[in-house]
């Protein structure tokens, strides 16, 4: 059971927009920065968003992050088939003194 | 260019030990926190441990605390993960990553597979 809760799966058509939610608590999301990762098994994880809403160099503007209270959201616009992957939120948990990941959300581009 | 390369994975029996290495290049290694995460077959990414640049601050996930030890040798640009008392559920691909801010690692290695099985 993950400390951060994500929907197991989301889907949308190519060109559409999708959002992935990440729900936590006051000991993690509400008071610490959130990151988002894209991962395909057998490959290196890719950082998409850090510090709630910043994109590392090379990440397209189609990817965006936001946060409100104890929840964070990853948005992806202009969906492409290459976006099919698993997506994870992550943050620091001040009470547990560990990094926590969400359980992951599988994105299917129909 | 930042590069991270893990090694040391393999097949080990339950209760056995294994030490993973991650060699870094392309950045000032001693200034960076480093993370280990893992992904078991059919499961999600799970954070394992992290170590500060000077090696003097370390955190572990509860699932590995007391069994795994993270360390680093800044002269060799290498971070290690010593894994003892291995269990079936430790079977996973292990990745090391360079931290740029808490819980944000912008560079990762390709991973090394650890299989715990009799």
């Amino acid at each position: 059971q993950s400390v951060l809760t994500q929907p197991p799966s989301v889907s949308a058509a190519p060109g559409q927009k999708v959002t992935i939610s990440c729900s936590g608590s006051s000991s993690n999301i509400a008071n610490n920065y959130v990151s988002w990762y894209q991962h395909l098994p057998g490959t290196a994880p890719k950082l998409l968003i850090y510090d709630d809403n910043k994109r590392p160099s090379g990440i397209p503007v189609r990817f965006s992050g936001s946060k409100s209270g104890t929840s964070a959201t990853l948005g992806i616009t202009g969906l492409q088939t290459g976006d099919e992957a698993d997506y994870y939120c992550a943050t620091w948990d001040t009470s547990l003194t560990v990094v926590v990941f969400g359980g992951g959300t599988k994105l299917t581009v129909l | 260019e930042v590069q991270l390369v893990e090694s040391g994975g393999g097949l080990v029996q339950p209760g056995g030990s294994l030490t993973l290495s991650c060699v870094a290049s392309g950045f000032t290694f001693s200034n960076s926190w480093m993370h280990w995460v893992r992904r078991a077959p059919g499961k999600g990414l799970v954070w394992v441990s992290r170590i500060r640049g000077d090696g003097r601050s370390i955190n572990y996930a509860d699932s590995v605390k007391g069994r795994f030890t993270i360390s680093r040798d800044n002269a060799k640009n290498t971070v290690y993960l010593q894994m003892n008392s291995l269990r079936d559920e430790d079977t996973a691909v292990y990745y090391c990553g360079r931290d740029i801010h808490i819980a944000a690692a912008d560079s990762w290695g390709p991973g090394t597979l650890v299989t715990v099985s009799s």
Side-chain angles (χ1 to χ4, degrees), chain B residues 64-84:
Chain B
V64 306
K65 196 174 295 184
R67 300 187 300 123
F68 289 13
T69 302
I70 192 171
S71 62
R72 64 193 298 156
D73 184 337
N74 287 344
K76 295 183 178 179
N77 280 8
T78 302
V79 60
Y80 304 96
L81 187 68
Q82 182 181 346
M83 305 183 295
N84 297 328

Side-chain angles (χ1 to χ4, degrees), chain A residues 32-33 35 37-47 49-51 56 86 88 90-92 96-104, chain B residues 35 37 39 43-48 50 58-62 65 93 95-96 99-111:
Chain A
N32 293 287
Y33 286 119
S35 301
Y37 294 91
Q38 178 191 68
H39 189 231
L40 281 166
T43 69
K46 178 187 286 189
L47 180 67
I49 298 290
Y50 69 101
D51 288 2
D86 300 314
Y88 297 86
T91 187
W92 178 254
L96 300 174
T97 61
V98 296
V99 173
V100 288
F101 275 73
Chain B
H35 296 268
V37 302
R39 186 165 186 180
K43 301 291 181 69
L45 271 179
V46 174
W47 178 81
V48 173
R50 70 170 188 166
I58 286 171
N59 302 99
Y60 296 101
D62 282 350
K65 196 174 295 184
V93 177
Y95 301 93
C96 69
D99 184 277
I100 57 170
H101 202 200
I102 296 177
D106 69 336
S107 299
W108 295 88

Side-chain angles (χ1 to χ4, degrees), chain B:
Chain B
E1 178 192 5
V2 174
Q3 286 198 332
L4 300 169
V5 180
E6 305 94 340
S7 62
L11 175 63
V12 60
Q13 292 188 337
S17 298
L18 211 56
T19 298
L20 307 182
S21 301
C22 170
V23 178
S25 62
F27 64 101
T28 306
F29 181 71
S30 59
N31 287 350
S32 295
W33 285 84
M34 297 295 294
H35 296 268
W36 286 98
V37 302
R38 66 186 182 184
R39 186 165 186 180
K43 301 291 181 69
L45 271 179
V46 174
W47 178 81
V48 173
S49 181
R50 70 170 188 166
I51 184 169
R52 199 169 66 188
D54 60 7
R56 300 173 78 171
S57 182
I58 286 171
N59 302 99
Y60 296 101
D62 282 350
S63 59
V64 306
K65 196 174 295 184
R67 300 187 300 123
F68 289 13
T69 302
I70 192 171
S71 62
R72 64 193 298 156
D73 184 337
N74 287 344
K76 295 183 178 179
N77 280 8
T78 302
V79 60
Y80 304 96
L81 187 68
Q82 182 181 346
M83 305 183 295
N84 297 328
S85 303
L86 282 162
R87 306 166 179 167
D88 291 349
E89 55 265 35
D90 295 319
T91 294
V93 177
Y94 286 73
Y95 301 93
C96 69
R98 178 189 76 159
D99 184 277
I100 57 170
H101 202 200
I102 296 177
D106 69 336
S107 299
W108 295 88
T112 187
L113 175 62
V114 173
T115 303
V116 184
S117 175
S118 54

